[in-house]
Amino acid sequence: MPNFLFRRAKVAVRTLALRAATFRAAAAAVVLLSLSLTACGGNASGTSDSDKPVVLTTFTVLADVARNVAGDKLTVESITKAGAEIHGYEPTPGDIRKASKADLILDNGLNLEAWFGQFVEGLDVPHVVVSDGVEAMSISEDSYQGKPNPHAWMSPVNVQIYVDNMVKAFSGLDPENAAVFKANGDAYKAKLQGVQDEMKASLAGLPESQRALVTCEGAFSYLARDAGLKEVYIWAVNAEQQATPQQITRAIEYVKAKQVPAVFCESTVSDAPMQQVVGATGAKFGGTLYVDSLSEADGPVPTYLDLIRHDAELITKALAGTSTATPGAKS
Ligand SMILES: [Zn+2]
């Protein structure tokens, strides 16, 4: 399993052993499953309580976008749950069982789901990369230098391309409802454009000296580009979220030099490294941003449109100094 063994040396050997065990178990489950399907001559499509085709996405953001396109014509589910880390996720035997019953699998691509190739290997289910056609930005730091930044959905304009890819894929899956998917997709694309315009207008009000977005993961490149912000981060991709002292020092030096008023971290990782930056600089902790996962339905970002609105508002308030999230340590 070479895809797993490329993990950095700082990842404990124990973790690798656990991952190997997970995959051995998962592979065994697939064998058992295909045996049982053969034995009962089972139909691999649909769920027990619905005849609708099943679309399985890798994470919650894609599931929400896909539901907006699918309407009530398809059943859309996410492999990872709300709040889960996506980059280094370890699929369970249950995930593989679910995937083998799906009619279509959607992944983000751009190396977001490091585990995906191994996950779909051996499954007889079509999959579509929804970021196809997006102009990828490159990562400029650390060992990921030159690789595509996977977080293309942080630009709602890019998500319009995701929607086009979904309309095409769903129409292939369920041709009778092609017109419905097209109409749903067009309506949702208008909402995406609306939230993009809102986000840009909200962040456009920040003065030049406060236009720096300092986060844990380098996940905001597309949003920062669209909004005209300088992006600074501790680590490039969450697959290696144990920040090195050098990475923390780099962020501290930037925050001090530019007198950045507030810094942020994301919902799916520990904010401890960023709290170190806060402690060393006097910048405020601006709050929790959402990027790699939606929240639960009763949380702050149950939908993708909520995610963009929430992040834009939090960033604007904290950098403009009007946030009440954390008492200011800065004099
Ligand atoms: Zn990420």
Side-chain angles (χ1 to χ4, degrees):
M1 44 198 78
N3 283 351
F4 268 68
L5 297 178
F6 81 98
R7 300 278 290 185
R8 305 269 296 233
K10 64 189 173 187
V11 175
V13 170
R14 190 176 60 83
T15 310
L16 283 173
L18 279 173
R19 283 169 168 253
T22 303
F23 264 107
R24 275 196 300 273
V30 165
V31 171
L32 281 175
L33 177 83
S34 41
L35 284 175
S36 70
L37 285 177
T38 312
C40 65
N43 176 4
S45 297
T47 55
S48 55
D49 58 351
S50 167
D51 291 336
K52 292 179 198 171
V54 174
V55 176
L56 192 60
T57 68
T58 49
F59 70 121
T60 52
V61 171
L62 291 191
D64 178 58
V65 175
R67 281 188 194 111
N68 277 279
V69 178
D72 60 2
K73 303 300 181 194
L74 309 172
T75 299
V76 178
E77 292 174 10
S78 171
I79 296 170
T80 53
K81 306 275 180 289
E85 221 297 295
I86 175 69
H87 299 269
Y89 180 70
E90 297 172 18
T92 65
D95 294 331
I96 295 176
R97 204 156 45 235
K98 198 186 258 186
S100 69
K101 287 191 226 168
D103 298 284
L104 176 68
I105 301 177
L106 304 180
D107 67 311
N108 180 78
L110 302 174
N111 302 333
L112 175 75
E113 305 94 340
W115 43 276
F116 191 74
Q118 209 155 10
F119 180 66
V120 292
E121 201 180 328
L123 288 181
D124 187 22
V125 179
H127 63 95
V128 167
V129 181
V130 294
S131 68
D132 260 3
V134 167
E135 196 174 323
M137 297 177 75
S138 292
I139 298 173
S140 59
E141 307 264 3
D142 301 332
S143 60
Y144 289 87
Q145 195 162 21
K147 300 239 171 83
N149 188 315
H151 305 91
W153 66 91
M154 291 309 285
S155 168
V157 169
N158 286 343
V159 177
Q160 295 180 348
I161 297 173
Y162 285 32
V163 167
D164 288 339
N165 288 328
M166 289 180 190
V167 168
K168 196 173 157 205
F170 295 173
S171 301
L173 179 66
D174 183 5
E176 277 183 20
N177 286 311
V180 175
F181 301 136
K182 175 76 169 62
N184 290 349
D186 286 347
Y188 189 61
K189 278 163 72 175
K191 290 182 185 173
L192 292 169
Q193 191 58 51
V195 86
Q196 169 85 356
D197 295 344
E198 274 176 47
M199 180 271 291
K200 284 175 75 171
S202 164
L203 292 167
L206 289 171
E208 199 52 44
S209 60
Q210 290 159 20
R211 304 190 68 79
L213 179 56
V214 181
T215 59
C216 285
E217 186 191 22
F220 295 85
S221 305
Y222 298 88
L223 184 146
R225 175 198 64 188
D226 290 358
L229 303 176
K230 160 82 175 161
E231 184 199 28
V232 177
Y233 48 81
I234 297 182
W235 58 81
V237 173
N238 276 350
E240 42 182 319
Q241 62 178 279
Q242 295 148 293
T244 65
Q246 290 83 354
Q247 288 171 326
I248 294 176
T249 301
R250 190 171 64 197
I252 288 171
E253 283 172 358
Y254 184 87
V255 170
K256 278 185 175 168
K258 301 290 181 185
Q259 295 184 293
V260 177
V263 296
F264 306 86
C265 198
E266 300 83 62
S267 70
T268 53
V269 295
S270 162
D271 66 12
M274 193 54 87
Q275 296 294 355
Q276 269 183 266
V277 176
V278 169
T281 61
K284 285 182 193 172
F285 183 68
T288 300
L289 296 174
Y290 286 79
V291 50
D292 285 346
S293 175
L294 301 178
S295 66
E296 298 285 357
D298 58 354
V301 302
T303 72
Y304 169 72
L305 296 174
D306 293 328
L307 180 152
I308 295 294
R309 285 196 190 101
H310 169 276
D311 285 2
E313 189 181 342
L314 192 74
I315 294 164
T316 307
K317 282 186 176 170
L319 291 183
T322 56
S323 169
T324 53
T326 309
K330 214 175 160 83
S331 56

